[in-house]
Amino acid sequence: AQSVAQPEDQVNVAEGNPLTVKCTYSVSGNPYLFWYVQYPNRGLQFLLKYITGDNLVKGSYGFEAEFNKSQTSFHLKKPSALVSDSALYFCAVRGYGQNFVFGPGTRLSVLP
Amino acid sequence: DGGITQSPKYLFRKEGQNVTLSCEQNLNHDAMYWYRQDPGQGLRLIYYSQIVNDFQKGDIAEGYSVSREKKESFPLTVTSAQKNPTAFYLCASRRWTNRDLMNTEAFFGQGTRLTVV
């Protein structure tokens, strides 16, 4: 069965510092991995995805993610955090059929 | 504007009452999904539909029902059998092509917050 883990409930980082939000996955077959962001009382917004190719994937709002097959990880990164990046972040993997399996989410707080 | 619209944004349900959440998309997407979000539990799949007039149960379908009479619409009914319906409900849609069957991301609506009173 496909599964996703986000080991940190909360990540705090100072504005201007680099940020990392961690994600590990378990899949059978090729992994198709996604990151979404959710602002309070809103739906999820797509940030980026890994399907195949370069291990470093660039996405929206300056975010990128590094796919590491040996460590089964897909960590989300940004070189310089903004206060406006504060939100809930979800990692997801393609699940059975055409569905997604989401991680529990990591709350990112960027402190001014 | 192209997008996916959920209504209402807030909904209150009395004990024993059925309520229906609306989800409409004009993205010409074939696949549509309903998720339930509870604090600390991420998103859990309730129902999904890949084509008109067909839908499948997700992980937590009990107490819910759906219909897919039109490609654009995928309403969710929360029935009185759902004992703990207070949650944030998210609808999503996704493009479906044979060429990149696995690869497309989902687009989400803004959500409906349902509260039992």
Side-chain angles (χ1 to χ4, degrees), chain A residues 32 34 36 38 41-46 49 51 88 90 94 96-105, chain B residues 33 35 37 40 42-43 45 48 50 58-59 88 90 94 96 101-106 108-110 113:
Chain A
Y32 300 99
F34 303 80
Y36 289 84
Q38 184 181 34
N41 294 310
R42 303 296 294 273
L44 276 65
Q45 296 178 32
F46 169 74
K49 64 183 177 185
I51 305 301
L88 188 57
F90 290 97
R94 182 188 65 80
Y96 59 89
Q98 292 304 309
N99 305 312
F100 296 91
V101 174
F102 287 85
Chain B
Y33 308 81
Y35 291 91
Q37 185 178 18
L43 278 66
L45 181 65
Y48 66 100
Q50 295 175 345
D59 300 317
F88 192 52
L90 288 162
R94 187 178 181 209
W96 174 295
L101 203 58
M102 309 295 190
N103 302 342
T104 57
E105 62 272 20
F108 283 80
Q110 296 302 295
R113 185 165 298 280

Side-chain angles (χ1 to χ4, degrees), chain B residues 2-114:
Chain B
I4 181 166
T5 302
Q6 289 185 242
S7 62
K9 188 171 182 179
Y10 299 96
L11 185 58
F12 298 91
R13 192 195 94 167
K14 295 180 180 179
E15 295 282 351
Q17 190 179 46
N18 292 357
V19 291
T20 297
L21 284 60
S22 171
C23 179
E24 304 276 334
Q25 54 98 0
N26 60 5
L27 299 166
N28 200 32
H29 286 174
D30 289 287
M32 296 187 74
Y33 308 81
W34 274 105
Y35 291 91
R36 171 179 170 142
Q37 185 178 18
D38 296 281
Q41 294 194 44
L43 278 66
R44 293 183 289 168
L45 181 65
I46 305 172
Y47 268 98
Y48 66 100
S49 169
Q50 295 175 345
I51 57 172
V52 174
N53 292 323
D54 185 56
F55 47 83
Q56 305 296 327
K57 292 182 179 180
D59 300 317
I60 55 165
E62 186 175 353
Y64 299 98
S65 66
V66 294
S67 63
R68 187 83 188 276
E69 298 177 0
K70 299 186 299 181
K71 188 176 183 179
E72 302 79 21
S73 180
F74 191 42
L76 173 74
T77 296
V78 184
T79 75
S80 57
Q82 171 50 239
K83 297 307 178 187
N84 184 23
T86 294
F88 192 52
Y89 290 86
L90 288 162
C91 180
S93 69
R94 187 178 181 209
R95 182 170 58 90
W96 174 295
T97 70
N98 288 331
R99 182 170 61 85
D100 55 5
L101 203 58
M102 309 295 190
N103 302 342
T104 57
E105 62 272 20
F107 289 77
F108 283 80
Q110 296 302 295
T112 293
R113 185 165 298 280
L114 174 63

Side-chain angles (χ1 to χ4, degrees), chain A:
Chain A
Q2 324 289 62
S3 66
V4 175
Q6 293 180 243
E8 300 159 316
D9 293 335
Q10 173 92 31
V11 170
N12 297 320
V13 63
E15 187 175 27
N17 283 3
L19 69 87
T20 299
V21 183
K22 296 180 180 178
C23 171
T24 59
Y25 64 89
S26 174
V27 301
S28 55
N30 293 325
Y32 300 99
L33 298 157
F34 303 80
W35 274 103
Y36 289 84
V37 61
Q38 184 181 34
Y39 296 98
N41 294 310
R42 303 296 294 273
L44 276 65
Q45 296 178 32
F46 169 74
L47 283 177
L48 50 79
K49 64 183 177 185
Y50 172 83
I51 305 301
T52 187
D54 289 342
N55 290 341
L56 186 64
V57 179
K58 294 190 182 295
S60 305
Y61 312 120
F63 284 94
E64 57 189 28
E66 186 170 10
F67 171 68
N68 187 317
K69 188 173 183 178
S70 63
Q71 297 185 4
T72 61
S73 67
F74 189 53
H75 300 333
L76 182 71
K77 300 181 179 184
K78 188 173 182 182
S80 179
L82 300 172
V83 173
S84 58
D85 293 329
S86 299
L88 188 57
Y89 289 81
F90 290 97
C91 183
V93 65
R94 182 188 65 80
Y96 59 89
Q98 292 304 309
N99 305 312
F100 296 91
V101 174
F102 287 85
T106 297
R107 188 164 301 283
L108 172 67
S109 291
V110 181
L111 309 174

